[in-house]
Amino acid sequence: MGSINIRTELPGPKAKELLAKKEKNVPKGPFNTMQTFAAKGDGALLTDIDGNTFLDFAGAIGTLNVGHCPPRVVEALHAQIDQYLHPCFHVMMYEPYIKLAEKLNSITPGNHSKKTFFLSTGAEAVENAVKIARKYTGRKGIISFERGFHGRTYMSMSLTSKVKPYKYEFGPFAPETYKWPYPYYYRSEGLKDKDHDNALLKRFETFFLSEVPPEEVAAVIMEPVQGEGGFVMPSSHFIKGVKALCEKHGILFIADEVQTGFGRTGKMFAMEHYDVVPDLMTMSKSIGAGLPVSAVTGRADIMDSPNIGEVGGTYGGSPLGCAAALEVIRTIEEEGLLERANEIGSLFTEKFSDFPLKYKQVGDVRSLGAMCAIEFVKDQETKEPNKEIVQEILSKAHNRGLIIMSAGLYGNIIRLLSPLVTTNEQLDEGFSILEEVIGECAHKEDFH
Protein backbone atom coordinates (compact mmCIF):
# COMPACT_ATOMS: atom_id res chain seq x y z
CA MET A 1 0.00 0.00 0.00
CA GLY A 2 1.28 3.47 -0.89
CA SER A 3 1.75 6.53 1.30
CA ILE A 4 -1.04 8.52 -0.37
CA ASN A 5 -4.54 8.14 1.06
CA ILE A 6 -7.33 10.31 -0.37
CA ARG A 7 -10.47 9.66 1.70
CA THR A 8 -12.78 12.51 0.61
CA GLU A 9 -13.45 14.65 -2.39
CA LEU A 10 -11.02 17.57 -2.64
CA PRO A 11 -11.46 19.91 -0.95
CA GLY A 12 -13.09 17.88 1.80
CA PRO A 13 -15.97 19.09 4.01
CA LYS A 14 -13.79 20.59 6.76
CA ALA A 15 -11.54 22.25 4.17
CA LYS A 16 -14.59 23.76 2.46
CA GLU A 17 -15.66 25.36 5.73
CA LEU A 18 -12.21 26.88 6.25
CA LEU A 19 -12.03 27.99 2.62
CA ALA A 20 -15.23 29.99 3.13
CA LYS A 21 -13.70 31.68 6.17
CA LYS A 22 -10.47 32.27 4.23
CA GLU A 23 -12.38 33.99 1.42
CA LYS A 24 -14.07 36.26 3.94
CA ASN A 25 -11.01 37.12 6.06
CA VAL A 26 -7.87 36.80 3.92
CA PRO A 27 -7.16 38.94 0.83
CA LYS A 28 -6.86 37.19 -2.51
CA GLY A 29 -3.22 38.25 -3.06
CA PRO A 30 -1.44 35.33 -1.35
CA PHE A 31 -1.63 32.35 -3.74
CA ASN A 32 -2.35 28.76 -2.68
CA THR A 33 -1.26 25.64 -4.56
CA MET A 34 -3.59 23.25 -2.73
CA GLN A 35 -7.20 24.07 -1.84
CA THR A 36 -7.05 22.38 1.56
CA PHE A 37 -5.45 22.87 4.97
CA ALA A 38 -2.63 21.02 6.71
CA ALA A 39 -3.20 19.08 9.93
CA LYS A 40 0.04 17.08 10.19
CA GLY A 41 3.37 16.80 8.38
CA ASP A 42 5.85 13.93 8.56
CA GLY A 43 8.86 13.58 6.27
CA ALA A 44 7.51 13.78 2.72
CA LEU A 45 3.87 13.44 3.77
CA LEU A 46 1.18 16.03 4.51
CA THR A 47 -2.19 15.13 5.96
CA ASP A 48 -5.03 17.63 5.71
CA ILE A 49 -7.84 18.41 8.15
CA ASP A 50 -10.14 15.91 6.42
CA GLY A 51 -7.66 13.05 6.90
CA ASN A 52 -6.36 12.99 3.32
CA THR A 53 -2.64 12.18 3.11
CA PHE A 54 -0.61 13.70 0.26
CA LEU A 55 2.89 13.12 -1.02
CA ASP A 56 4.64 16.49 -0.91
CA PHE A 57 6.98 17.09 -3.87
CA ALA A 58 6.82 20.88 -3.44
CA GLY A 59 8.50 20.96 -0.02
CA ALA A 60 7.13 24.40 0.90
CA ILE A 61 8.83 25.75 -2.26
CA GLY A 62 12.20 24.27 -1.33
CA THR A 63 12.01 24.95 2.41
CA LEU A 64 11.85 21.36 3.64
CA ASN A 65 15.00 19.62 2.42
CA VAL A 66 15.07 17.67 5.72
CA GLY A 67 11.31 17.04 5.53
CA HIS A 68 8.26 17.95 7.57
CA CYS A 69 8.86 17.93 11.36
CA PRO A 70 12.36 16.36 11.35
CA PRO A 71 12.68 14.75 14.81
CA ARG A 72 16.04 16.30 15.70
CA VAL A 73 14.82 19.78 14.80
CA VAL A 74 11.57 19.32 16.73
CA GLU A 75 13.52 18.17 19.80
CA ALA A 76 15.89 21.16 19.59
CA LEU A 77 12.93 23.54 19.30
CA HIS A 78 11.23 22.10 22.37
CA ALA A 79 14.46 22.52 24.34
CA GLN A 80 14.85 26.11 23.14
CA ILE A 81 11.24 27.02 23.96
CA ASP A 82 11.83 25.95 27.55
CA GLN A 83 14.74 28.42 27.84
CA TYR A 84 13.61 31.63 26.13
CA LEU A 85 11.75 32.64 22.98
CA HIS A 86 13.12 35.96 21.83
CA PRO A 87 15.27 38.34 23.89
CA CYS A 88 16.17 40.06 20.54
CA PHE A 89 19.83 39.90 19.53
CA HIS A 90 19.97 43.72 19.54
CA VAL A 91 18.96 43.78 23.22
CA MET A 92 20.59 40.73 24.80
CA MET A 93 22.62 38.34 22.70
CA TYR A 94 22.27 34.55 22.81
CA GLU A 95 24.52 31.61 22.02
CA PRO A 96 22.59 29.88 19.19
CA TYR A 97 23.13 32.98 17.01
CA ILE A 98 26.91 32.76 17.50
CA LYS A 99 27.01 28.99 17.00
CA LEU A 100 25.10 29.22 13.71
CA ALA A 101 27.24 32.09 12.43
CA GLU A 102 30.36 30.10 13.25
CA LYS A 103 28.96 27.04 11.47
CA LEU A 104 27.98 28.91 8.30
CA ASN A 105 31.34 30.64 8.17
CA SER A 106 32.98 27.21 8.18
CA ILE A 107 30.78 25.39 5.63
CA THR A 108 30.18 28.07 2.98
CA PRO A 109 32.57 28.18 -0.01
CA GLY A 110 35.98 29.77 0.45
CA ASN A 111 38.81 29.50 2.98
CA HIS A 112 38.99 33.25 3.66
CA SER A 113 37.86 34.92 6.88
CA LYS A 114 34.05 35.21 6.88
CA LYS A 115 31.30 36.73 9.00
CA THR A 116 27.55 36.07 9.10
CA PHE A 117 24.47 37.85 10.39
CA PHE A 118 20.84 36.80 10.41
CA LEU A 119 17.44 38.05 9.30
CA SER A 120 14.02 36.45 8.89
CA THR A 121 13.37 35.96 5.14
CA GLY A 122 15.22 35.41 1.90
CA ALA A 123 14.09 38.79 0.58
CA GLU A 124 15.52 40.48 3.69
CA ALA A 125 18.82 38.70 3.11
CA VAL A 126 18.92 40.01 -0.47
CA GLU A 127 18.05 43.56 0.65
CA ASN A 128 20.86 43.52 3.20
CA ALA A 129 23.41 41.97 0.85
CA VAL A 130 22.71 44.89 -1.50
CA LYS A 131 23.12 47.39 1.36
CA ILE A 132 26.43 45.83 2.37
CA ALA A 133 27.73 45.75 -1.21
CA ARG A 134 26.87 49.42 -1.72
CA LYS A 135 28.41 50.40 1.59
CA TYR A 136 31.63 48.50 0.89
CA THR A 137 32.13 49.64 -2.70
CA GLY A 138 30.70 53.14 -2.51
CA ARG A 139 28.84 52.33 -5.72
CA LYS A 140 25.08 52.13 -6.41
CA GLY A 141 24.44 49.86 -9.39
CA ILE A 142 23.19 46.28 -8.90
CA ILE A 143 22.99 43.77 -11.74
CA SER A 144 20.69 40.73 -11.64
CA PHE A 145 19.65 38.30 -14.38
CA GLU A 146 16.72 37.67 -16.69
CA ARG A 147 14.25 35.16 -15.21
CA GLY A 148 15.87 35.60 -11.79
CA PHE A 149 13.78 35.72 -8.62
CA HIS A 150 15.04 37.42 -5.46
CA GLY A 151 11.92 38.25 -3.45
CA ARG A 152 8.89 40.51 -3.14
CA THR A 153 10.22 43.47 -1.12
CA TYR A 154 11.04 46.74 -2.88
CA MET A 155 14.68 46.10 -3.80
CA SER A 156 14.34 42.35 -4.23
CA MET A 157 11.27 42.84 -6.44
CA SER A 158 13.26 45.33 -8.51
CA LEU A 159 15.93 42.68 -9.03
CA THR A 160 13.34 40.03 -9.93
CA SER A 161 12.66 39.40 -13.62
CA LYS A 162 9.04 38.36 -14.05
CA VAL A 163 6.34 40.98 -14.52
CA LYS A 164 3.25 38.98 -13.58
CA PRO A 165 2.48 38.25 -10.82
CA TYR A 166 5.46 39.83 -9.04
CA LYS A 167 5.87 43.34 -10.46
CA TYR A 168 2.72 44.27 -12.38
CA GLU A 169 1.41 47.69 -11.28
CA PHE A 170 3.70 47.77 -8.22
CA GLY A 171 6.22 50.26 -9.64
CA PRO A 172 8.15 52.45 -9.78
CA PHE A 173 11.05 50.20 -8.88
CA ALA A 174 14.41 50.83 -7.26
CA PRO A 175 16.77 52.81 -9.49
CA GLU A 176 20.26 51.69 -10.49
CA THR A 177 19.17 48.08 -11.06
CA TYR A 178 20.02 46.31 -14.32
CA LYS A 179 19.42 42.90 -15.95
CA TRP A 180 21.85 40.62 -17.73
CA PRO A 181 20.79 37.59 -19.81
CA TYR A 182 21.30 34.17 -18.22
CA PRO A 183 22.13 31.10 -20.30
CA TYR A 184 19.26 28.82 -21.23
CA TYR A 185 20.81 26.01 -23.25
CA TYR A 186 17.50 24.43 -24.22
CA ARG A 187 16.49 27.73 -25.82
CA SER A 188 19.89 28.84 -27.17
CA GLU A 189 18.80 28.64 -30.83
CA GLY A 190 21.20 25.88 -31.81
CA LEU A 191 24.32 27.37 -30.24
CA LYS A 192 26.60 24.97 -28.41
CA ASP A 193 26.66 25.59 -24.67
CA LYS A 194 30.11 27.18 -24.62
CA ASP A 195 29.31 29.36 -27.66
CA HIS A 196 26.10 30.47 -25.93
CA ASP A 197 28.10 31.34 -22.80
CA ASN A 198 30.73 33.25 -24.73
CA ALA A 199 28.14 35.25 -26.66
CA LEU A 200 26.52 36.35 -23.40
CA LEU A 201 29.83 37.17 -21.72
CA LYS A 202 30.79 39.31 -24.71
CA ARG A 203 27.47 41.18 -24.41
CA PHE A 204 28.26 41.98 -20.78
CA GLU A 205 31.41 43.84 -21.77
CA THR A 206 29.34 45.84 -24.30
CA PHE A 207 26.77 46.49 -21.58
CA PHE A 208 29.38 48.47 -19.63
CA LEU A 209 29.71 50.76 -22.64
CA SER A 210 26.02 51.11 -23.44
CA GLU A 211 24.20 51.02 -20.08
CA VAL A 212 26.34 51.75 -17.03
CA PRO A 213 30.10 52.01 -16.46
CA PRO A 214 31.55 49.23 -14.30
CA GLU A 215 32.92 51.84 -11.89
CA GLU A 216 29.33 52.53 -10.83
CA VAL A 217 28.32 48.89 -10.26
CA ALA A 218 28.48 47.58 -6.68
CA ALA A 219 27.47 43.96 -7.24
CA VAL A 220 26.15 41.24 -9.50
CA ILE A 221 23.61 38.93 -7.83
CA MET A 222 23.01 35.50 -9.32
CA GLU A 223 21.09 32.32 -8.51
CA PRO A 224 23.53 29.46 -9.27
CA VAL A 225 20.43 27.60 -10.52
CA GLN A 226 17.38 29.72 -11.30
CA GLY A 227 14.50 28.58 -9.11
CA GLU A 228 11.31 30.44 -9.96
CA GLY A 229 12.80 30.99 -13.42
CA GLY A 230 12.39 27.30 -14.24
CA PHE A 231 15.35 25.39 -12.75
CA VAL A 232 17.61 26.75 -15.47
CA MET A 233 21.19 25.61 -14.91
CA PRO A 234 24.26 27.48 -16.18
CA SER A 235 27.68 26.00 -16.87
CA SER A 236 30.78 26.41 -14.76
CA HIS A 237 32.31 28.25 -17.71
CA PHE A 238 29.59 30.89 -17.60
CA ILE A 239 29.69 31.46 -13.85
CA LYS A 240 33.49 31.63 -13.89
CA GLY A 241 33.23 34.17 -16.71
CA VAL A 242 30.86 36.36 -14.71
CA LYS A 243 33.10 36.12 -11.65
CA ALA A 244 36.14 37.08 -13.75
CA LEU A 245 34.28 40.15 -15.05
CA CYS A 246 33.42 41.11 -11.48
CA GLU A 247 37.03 40.75 -10.35
CA LYS A 248 38.29 42.72 -13.34
CA HIS A 249 36.06 45.69 -12.48
CA GLY A 250 36.02 45.55 -8.68
CA ILE A 251 32.37 44.39 -8.59
CA LEU A 252 31.17 42.10 -5.80
CA PHE A 253 29.67 38.71 -6.69
CA ILE A 254 26.59 37.76 -4.63
CA ALA A 255 25.33 34.17 -4.80
CA ASP A 256 21.62 33.89 -4.00
CA GLU A 257 21.39 30.40 -2.49
CA VAL A 258 17.95 30.89 -0.96
CA GLN A 259 16.40 27.99 -2.92
CA THR A 260 19.53 26.07 -3.93
CA GLY A 261 21.22 25.93 -0.52
CA PHE A 262 21.41 23.24 2.14
CA GLY A 263 21.74 20.15 0.01
CA ARG A 264 19.12 20.64 -2.67
CA THR A 265 21.56 20.25 -5.59
CA GLY A 266 23.69 17.46 -4.12
CA LYS A 267 26.20 19.89 -2.60
CA MET A 268 25.63 21.87 0.57
CA PHE A 269 25.58 24.97 -1.68
CA ALA A 270 25.10 25.02 -5.45
CA MET A 271 28.10 27.30 -6.00
CA GLU A 272 30.30 24.34 -5.06
CA HIS A 273 29.41 22.74 -8.41
CA TYR A 274 31.13 25.57 -10.25
CA ASP A 275 34.32 26.00 -8.22
CA VAL A 276 33.56 29.70 -7.78
CA VAL A 277 33.74 31.47 -4.40
CA PRO A 278 31.25 34.36 -4.02
CA ASP A 279 32.01 37.50 -2.05
CA LEU A 280 28.59 37.38 -0.37
CA MET A 281 25.91 34.68 -0.08
CA THR A 282 22.24 34.92 0.80
CA MET A 283 20.50 31.92 2.39
CA SER A 284 17.06 31.05 3.74
CA LYS A 285 14.30 28.48 2.96
CA SER A 286 15.73 25.08 3.98
CA ILE A 287 18.15 26.55 6.50
CA GLY A 288 15.49 26.31 9.23
CA ALA A 289 13.19 23.40 8.27
CA GLY A 290 10.27 25.85 8.03
CA LEU A 291 11.30 28.32 10.75
CA PRO A 292 11.70 31.89 9.40
CA VAL A 293 15.43 32.56 9.42
CA SER A 294 17.82 33.83 6.77
CA ALA A 295 21.49 34.70 6.56
CA VAL A 296 24.05 36.81 4.76
CA THR A 297 27.57 35.36 4.84
CA GLY A 298 30.57 36.96 3.24
CA ARG A 299 34.15 38.10 3.37
CA ALA A 300 34.80 39.54 6.81
CA ASP A 301 36.10 42.88 5.50
CA ILE A 302 32.98 43.34 3.34
CA MET A 303 30.59 42.28 6.10
CA ASP A 304 32.20 44.74 8.51
CA SER A 305 31.65 47.74 6.23
CA PRO A 306 28.27 48.79 7.76
CA ASN A 307 28.65 50.56 11.09
CA ILE A 308 26.88 49.57 14.31
CA GLY A 309 23.10 49.77 13.89
CA GLU A 310 23.16 50.10 10.10
CA VAL A 311 21.96 46.52 9.46
CA GLY A 312 19.74 44.24 11.50
CA GLY A 313 16.11 43.69 12.45
CA THR A 314 14.07 42.93 15.54
CA TYR A 315 13.39 39.29 14.64
CA GLY A 316 16.63 38.62 12.76
CA GLY A 317 18.21 35.33 13.78
CA SER A 318 15.55 34.34 16.28
CA PRO A 319 16.71 31.73 18.83
CA LEU A 320 14.19 29.24 17.46
CA GLY A 321 15.39 29.75 13.89
CA CYS A 322 19.04 29.39 14.90
CA ALA A 323 18.35 26.26 16.97
CA ALA A 324 16.47 24.74 14.03
CA ALA A 325 19.19 25.63 11.53
CA LEU A 326 21.96 24.06 13.60
CA GLU A 327 20.03 20.78 13.67
CA VAL A 328 19.19 21.00 9.96
CA ILE A 329 22.89 21.22 9.11
CA ARG A 330 23.74 18.33 11.46
CA THR A 331 20.96 16.26 9.89
CA ILE A 332 22.24 16.91 6.37
CA GLU A 333 25.82 16.09 7.35
CA GLU A 334 25.17 13.05 9.55
CA GLU A 335 22.33 11.43 7.61
CA GLY A 336 24.01 11.58 4.20
CA LEU A 337 21.43 13.87 2.61
CA LEU A 338 23.87 15.31 0.03
CA GLU A 339 24.35 11.82 -1.37
CA ARG A 340 20.60 11.29 -1.12
CA ALA A 341 19.94 14.41 -3.20
CA ASN A 342 22.09 12.97 -5.98
CA GLU A 343 20.29 9.62 -5.72
CA ILE A 344 16.92 11.38 -6.09
CA GLY A 345 18.22 13.23 -9.16
CA SER A 346 19.46 9.98 -10.70
CA LEU A 347 16.13 8.22 -10.08
CA PHE A 348 14.28 11.19 -11.62
CA THR A 349 16.52 11.14 -14.69
CA GLU A 350 16.16 7.38 -15.05
CA LYS A 351 12.37 7.72 -15.00
CA PHE A 352 11.82 10.79 -17.17
CA SER A 353 14.88 11.35 -19.43
CA ASP A 354 13.25 9.64 -22.43
CA PHE A 355 9.98 11.57 -22.15
CA PRO A 356 10.92 14.01 -24.98
CA LEU A 357 11.01 10.90 -27.21
CA LYS A 358 7.67 9.61 -25.88
CA TYR A 359 5.69 12.86 -25.92
CA LYS A 360 5.92 15.77 -28.30
CA GLN A 361 4.74 18.05 -25.48
CA VAL A 362 7.87 17.37 -23.38
CA GLY A 363 10.69 19.64 -24.48
CA ASP A 364 13.38 19.15 -21.85
CA VAL A 365 14.08 17.13 -18.70
CA ARG A 366 16.80 18.47 -16.40
CA SER A 367 18.09 18.22 -12.87
CA LEU A 368 20.96 19.10 -10.59
CA GLY A 369 20.81 16.83 -7.58
CA ALA A 370 17.22 16.83 -6.32
CA MET A 371 16.36 20.06 -8.12
CA CYS A 372 14.36 18.50 -10.96
CA ALA A 373 12.26 19.95 -13.78
CA ILE A 374 10.27 18.96 -16.85
CA GLU A 375 9.62 21.65 -19.50
CA PHE A 376 6.50 21.41 -21.66
CA VAL A 377 6.05 22.81 -25.16
CA LYS A 378 3.38 22.84 -27.82
CA ASP A 379 5.84 21.79 -30.49
CA GLN A 380 9.39 20.47 -30.08
CA GLU A 381 10.59 22.34 -33.15
CA THR A 382 9.28 25.81 -32.25
CA LYS A 383 9.57 25.18 -28.48
CA GLU A 384 6.49 27.30 -27.90
CA PRO A 385 5.75 27.13 -24.16
CA ASN A 386 2.76 24.99 -23.15
CA LYS A 387 1.36 26.41 -19.93
CA GLU A 388 -2.04 24.85 -20.49
CA ILE A 389 -0.88 21.24 -20.26
CA VAL A 390 1.09 22.05 -17.09
CA GLN A 391 -2.03 23.41 -15.42
CA GLU A 392 -3.95 20.27 -16.33
CA ILE A 393 -1.14 18.01 -15.09
CA LEU A 394 -1.00 19.89 -11.78
CA SER A 395 -4.76 19.60 -11.27
CA LYS A 396 -4.81 15.86 -11.96
CA ALA A 397 -1.75 15.21 -9.79
CA HIS A 398 -3.19 17.18 -6.88
CA ASN A 399 -6.46 15.24 -7.04
CA ARG A 400 -4.49 11.99 -6.89
CA GLY A 401 -2.56 13.12 -3.82
CA LEU A 402 0.71 14.39 -5.33
CA ILE A 403 1.67 17.98 -4.48
CA ILE A 404 3.72 19.57 -7.26
CA MET A 405 4.17 23.12 -8.55
CA SER A 406 4.97 24.96 -11.77
CA ALA A 407 7.76 27.43 -12.52
CA GLY A 408 9.29 29.38 -15.38
CA LEU A 409 8.72 32.70 -17.08
CA TYR A 410 5.90 31.12 -19.10
CA GLY A 411 4.57 28.81 -16.37
CA ASN A 412 5.36 25.82 -18.61
CA ILE A 413 7.69 23.92 -16.28
CA ILE A 414 6.90 21.39 -13.56
CA ARG A 415 9.44 21.59 -10.73
CA LEU A 416 10.04 18.95 -8.11
CA LEU A 417 11.40 19.86 -4.67
CA SER A 418 10.75 16.64 -2.80
CA PRO A 419 12.30 16.48 0.69
CA LEU A 420 15.66 14.73 0.66
CA VAL A 421 14.26 12.26 3.21
CA THR A 422 11.69 10.98 0.69
CA THR A 423 11.99 7.20 0.52
CA ASN A 424 12.51 5.26 -2.69
CA GLU A 425 9.00 3.82 -2.32
CA GLN A 426 7.55 7.32 -2.00
CA LEU A 427 9.58 8.55 -4.98
CA ASP A 428 8.34 5.64 -7.08
CA GLU A 429 4.76 6.36 -5.99
CA GLY A 430 5.03 10.06 -6.84
CA PHE A 431 6.90 9.50 -10.09
CA SER A 432 4.31 6.92 -11.20
CA ILE A 433 1.46 9.38 -10.65
CA LEU A 434 3.35 12.09 -12.54
CA GLU A 435 4.13 9.69 -15.39
CA GLU A 436 0.48 8.64 -15.53
CA VAL A 437 -0.98 12.16 -15.65
CA ILE A 438 1.58 13.37 -18.19
CA GLY A 439 0.57 10.49 -20.45
CA GLU A 440 -3.14 11.21 -20.01
CA CYS A 441 -2.78 14.93 -20.72
CA ALA A 442 -0.47 14.42 -23.69
CA HIS A 443 -2.81 11.88 -25.31
CA LYS A 444 -5.78 14.17 -24.67
CA GLU A 445 -4.00 16.99 -26.51
CA ASP A 446 -3.12 14.64 -29.36
CA PHE A 447 -6.73 13.52 -29.63
CA HIS A 448 -7.99 17.11 -29.80
Side-chain angles (χ1 to χ4, degrees):
M1 185 176 176
S3 301
I4 293 170
N5 183 16
I6 304 301
R7 302 167 57 183
T8 72
E9 63 175 351
L10 298 176
K14 292 181 181 178
K16 284 179 179 176
E17 286 183 24
L18 265 186
L19 277 169
K21 293 181 180 180
K22 182 246 182 188
E23 292 298 316
K24 184 177 179 180
N25 295 285
V26 179
K28 64 183 179 181
F31 81 96
N32 314 105
T33 298
M34 304 297 294
Q35 294 301 299
T36 187
F37 297 83
K40 180 176 175 56
D42 180 18
L45 301 178
L46 261 179
T47 300
D48 75 0
I49 57 176
D50 288 293
N52 300 299
T53 298
F54 300 82
L55 195 50
D56 183 5
F57 279 17
I61 321 180
T63 301
L64 302 174
N65 288 354
V66 296
H68 290 276
C69 298
R72 295 169 62 156
V73 174
V74 171
E75 184 180 349
L77 289 172
H78 280 297
Q80 182 58 57
I81 286 170
D82 287 338
Q83 291 180 290
Y84 51 85
L85 290 180
H86 192 68
C88 181
F89 192 74
H90 301 309
V91 178
M92 183 177 284
M93 298 174 286
Y94 38 86
E95 189 176 15
Y97 192 112
I98 307 306
K99 282 186 174 180
L100 183 56
E102 185 178 39
K103 186 65 176 177
L104 289 180
N105 291 340
S106 70
I107 66 173
T108 47
N111 297 319
H112 51 274
S113 177
K114 285 175 269 185
K115 291 191 175 183
T116 295
F117 87 106
F118 299 105
L119 300 134
S120 300
T121 68
E124 277 185 281
V126 169
E127 295 268 347
N128 280 273
V130 168
K131 286 171 64 176
I132 292 166
R134 284 175 164 173
K135 187 79 172 182
Y136 178 79
T137 62
R139 305 173 180 181
K140 305 306 178 192
I142 306 293
I143 295 171
S144 59
F145 288 84
E146 291 176 358
R147 295 186 310 279
F149 179 86
H150 300 285
R152 297 170 183 265
T153 54
Y154 183 52
M155 172 55 74
S156 62
M157 182 172 57
S158 300
L159 298 173
T160 290
S161 181
K162 188 175 182 179
V163 175
K164 291 183 178 181
Y166 305 123
K167 303 174 76 168
Y168 183 62
E169 296 184 336
F170 289 132
F173 301 106
E176 302 299 325
T177 57
Y178 306 90
K179 301 287 187 302
W180 275 355
Y182 190 101
Y184 198 160
Y185 305 118
Y186 173 63
R187 296 184 175 275
S188 62
E189 298 178 356
L191 284 177
K192 293 182 179 179
D193 293 359
K194 196 164 186 178
D195 293 336
H196 186 38
D197 291 341
N198 288 334
L200 295 184
L201 292 168
K202 188 174 182 180
R203 285 174 62 183
F204 299 161
E205 286 283 16
T206 306
F207 171 92
F208 289 135
L209 299 174
S210 63
E211 296 294 330
V212 60
E215 296 84 3
E216 293 181 6
V217 177
V220 169
I221 184 167
M222 171 194 285
E223 297 167 279
V225 176
Q226 290 189 327
E228 197 71 22
F231 289 18
V232 180
M233 301 156 191
S235 70
S236 179
H237 175 70
F238 176 78
I239 292 189
K240 285 180 177 177
V242 172
K243 183 64 159 61
L245 273 176
C246 289
E247 290 176 350
K248 176 181 177 181
H249 297 294
I251 297 168
L252 298 184
F253 184 99
I254 304 171
D256 183 341
E257 292 260 12
V258 168
Q259 189 164 154
T260 53
F262 300 95
R264 174 51 53 182
T265 67
K267 302 279 189 182
M268 187 65 83
F269 301 102
M271 287 303 300
E272 296 175 66
H273 288 284
Y274 308 111
D275 195 28
V276 169
V277 176
D279 299 298
L280 296 168
M281 282 179 58
T282 61
M283 294 161 273
S284 189
K285 286 192 180 286
S286 274
I287 186 176
L291 273 288
V293 60
S294 64
V296 182
T297 297
R299 278 174 29 203
D301 57 327
I302 298 173
M303 294 295 290
D304 273 335
S305 55
N307 294 311
I308 292 174
E310 290 185 343
V311 294
T314 303
Y315 287 105
S318 79
L320 293 174
C322 291
L326 285 164
E327 286 304 322
V328 164
I329 295 167
R330 288 193 189 101
T331 300
I332 292 170
E333 292 176 336
E334 295 177 14
E335 297 185 11
L337 294 188
L338 300 183
E339 294 82 0
R340 182 58 181 160
N342 288 315
E343 290 171 4
I344 290 172
S346 295
L347 291 168
F348 167 80
T349 300
E350 184 181 315
K351 185 75 167 180
F352 295 103
S353 62
D354 65 346
F355 269 43
L357 300 176
K358 287 184 177 181
Y359 304 110
K360 68 181 183 182
Q361 294 90 345
V362 178
D364 193 31
V365 175
R366 51 184 180 261
S367 65
L368 186 62
M371 202 167 185
C372 309
I374 304 174
E375 180 160 357
F376 291 83
V377 294
K378 294 183 178 179
D379 180 272
Q380 290 183 345
E381 291 296 317
T382 65
K383 300 180 181 178
E384 181 184 351
N386 193 339
K387 179 179 180 177
E388 294 76 18
I389 195 172
V390 167
Q391 291 304 308
E392 188 169 1
I393 290 168
L394 294 181
S395 177
K396 285 178 175 288
H398 295 165
N399 283 321
R400 294 179 199 187
L402 178 65
I403 304 173
I404 53 176
M405 298 182 70
S406 64
L409 194 61
Y410 305 102
N412 68 314
I413 294 160
I414 287 176
R415 53 174 160 174
L416 304 183
L417 288 163
S418 55
L420 305 183
V421 297
T422 307
T423 67
N424 281 1
E425 293 76 17
Q426 290 169 339
L427 284 174
D428 186 59
E429 186 177 4
F431 288 168
S432 295
I433 290 172
L434 183 56
E435 177 182 33
E436 191 177 88
V437 297
I438 288 173
E440 289 176 12
C441 294
H443 290 313
K444 180 181 176 183
E445 277 205 350
D446 290 342
F447 182 76
H448 286 294

